[in-house]
Amino acid sequence: MRTKLDACLHAVNQVLLGKEAQVRLALACLLARGHLLIEDLPGMGKTTLGHALAKVLGLGFQRIQFTSDLLPGDILGTSVFDKDSGQFIFHPGPVFAELVLADEINRATPKSQSALLEAMEEGQVTIEGATRPLPEPFFVIATQNPVSQGGTFALPESQLDRFLMRLSLGYPAKAAEKALLQGEARRELLPRLEPVFTHAELRAIQAEVPKVIARDALVDYVLRLVDATRTQPQFAWGLSPRASLALLSAARAWALLAGRDYVIPEDVQAVLPSVVGHRLRERADPAGHGGGALVQWLLREVPAL
């Protein structure tokens, strides 16, 4: 299984050049059964990453372009009257896919954004009084542009908390961008990607993530990190139990990708910025985006042992 994980990472890295750390985090997020938010400027490769992961993981894929006029029914589906049968027939929306790419999610209104809340939390949607299960596995990869750009609606905290991780791809290194300019268009490489995992293999490796050993000392380290956010004055609010569970789950997936069956403090530190950065705010600026500075404070001030 380790060989296939390495093959998966290698394949995606051939499409998204120079972003090995972000690709590894994205795969860890999916193995931990989480959902991923990618925030960056347009044209940085966010959509390409989603396409590439769907290809190598062998997952059914649907892309939803979020716009200001998007309605919840455009995401979830709707019932249409069939005159031949005399009944309403439900037509499922694009959310009924194994990997859903919610492209530029913050360009839709909060009403449309919230259509994904139940799907991301429960793996099901309730439409017209009927609950319908979503495929298994089910992953959401959402992209968003910086909130400073025009035409965006900031995601509320309740929606942000549904994402296990938030990543930023950033500008490529010069060598990677030179290879990008001299090579084929990245989108043209996507059809050549072959699935590395079968559905059964993917579910099997996901089932291994909770079995990765986290000893008492490691759990105590996670608890110290979480407690610092709840007791230190610079934090507007502390991390929730859901966030502490997310941190440990992501650390387990990171350890599994490293070929270990146990978690070490370095695993927690590797995933900490992506897992808690979007969940933290500074008390002096609760509406801002001070999560990055607060994460660095945690890494610096909270001892691992």
Side-chain angles (χ1 to χ4, degrees), residues 146-193:
V147 294
S148 59
Q149 292 197 339
T152 59
F153 300 84
L155 295 178
E157 284 75 13
S158 59
Q159 182 98 25
L160 286 172
D161 197 47
R162 264 46 175 204
F163 291 99
L164 179 68
M165 291 185 185
R166 181 183 67 178
L167 301 179
S168 178
L169 296 179
Y171 294 111
K174 284 188 177 180
E177 192 160 10
K178 183 177 181 179
L180 178 67
L181 294 174
Q182 293 179 330
E184 294 181 80
R186 298 296 100 183
R187 296 290 179 88
E188 294 180 5
L189 299 179
L190 289 172
R192 304 179 195 173
L193 293 178

Side-chain angles (χ1 to χ4, degrees), residues 50-286:
H51 274 281
L53 284 171
K55 284 281 189 178
V56 299
L57 294 173
L59 299 176
F61 177 81
Q62 285 283 356
R63 176 179 177 269
I64 309 171
Q65 179 62 54
F66 278 64
T67 58
S68 59
D69 59 349
L70 187 75
L71 299 175
D74 299 327
I75 302 169
L76 304 179
T78 187
S79 293
V80 178
F81 184 75
D82 180 69
K83 63 180 181 180
D84 294 330
S85 64
Q87 296 179 333
F88 282 91
I89 306 299
F90 178 70
H91 294 261
V95 76
F96 286 87
E98 292 162 329
L99 195 153
V100 176
L101 177 64
D103 214 0
E104 297 185 305
I105 188 174
N106 61 335
R107 291 201 177 277
T109 61
K111 182 177 182 179
S112 295
Q113 292 174 9
S114 65
L116 287 174
L117 284 175
E118 182 185 9
M120 294 170 65
E121 185 67 18
E122 307 292 339
Q124 64 182 31
V125 294
T126 303
I127 306 170
E128 299 169 352
T131 298
R132 293 177 169 84
L134 293 169
E136 174 63 32
F138 173 71
F139 302 128
V140 173
I141 298 180
T143 72
Q144 71 169 359
N145 298 327
V147 294
S148 59
Q149 292 197 339
T152 59
F153 300 84
L155 295 178
E157 284 75 13
S158 59
Q159 182 98 25
L160 286 172
D161 197 47
R162 264 46 175 204
F163 291 99
L164 179 68
M165 291 185 185
R166 181 183 67 178
L167 301 179
S168 178
L169 296 179
Y171 294 111
K174 284 188 177 180
E177 192 160 10
K178 183 177 181 179
L180 178 67
L181 294 174
Q182 293 179 330
E184 294 181 80
R186 298 296 100 183
R187 296 290 179 88
E188 294 180 5
L189 299 179
L190 289 172
R192 304 179 195 173
L193 293 178
E194 296 292 336
V196 176
F197 292 102
T198 65
H199 279 56
E201 289 172 335
L202 181 57
R203 286 194 294 267
I205 196 169
Q206 284 181 318
E208 291 298 314
V209 172
K211 299 177 185 177
V212 176
I213 299 169
R215 303 194 185 280
D216 284 351
L218 189 285
V219 174
D220 288 340
Y221 175 45
V222 172
L223 290 174
R224 286 196 298 275
L225 289 167
V226 172
D227 184 65
T229 69
R230 299 172 182 174
T231 58
Q232 297 303 308
Q234 63 266 49
F235 294 88
W237 52 76
L239 293 173
S240 68
R242 184 191 331 205
S244 59
L245 288 168
L247 180 57
L248 186 56
S249 179
R252 282 185 162 123
W254 188 264
L256 189 69
L257 283 174
R260 283 182 276 101
D261 64 352
Y262 58 91
V263 186
I264 60 177
E266 286 78 4
D267 298 323
V268 177
Q269 294 161 1
V271 300
L272 183 71
S274 300
V275 174
V276 307
H278 58 294
R279 293 178 163 97
L280 296 176
R281 295 288 186 276
E282 293 185 15
R283 184 182 296 273
D285 186 20

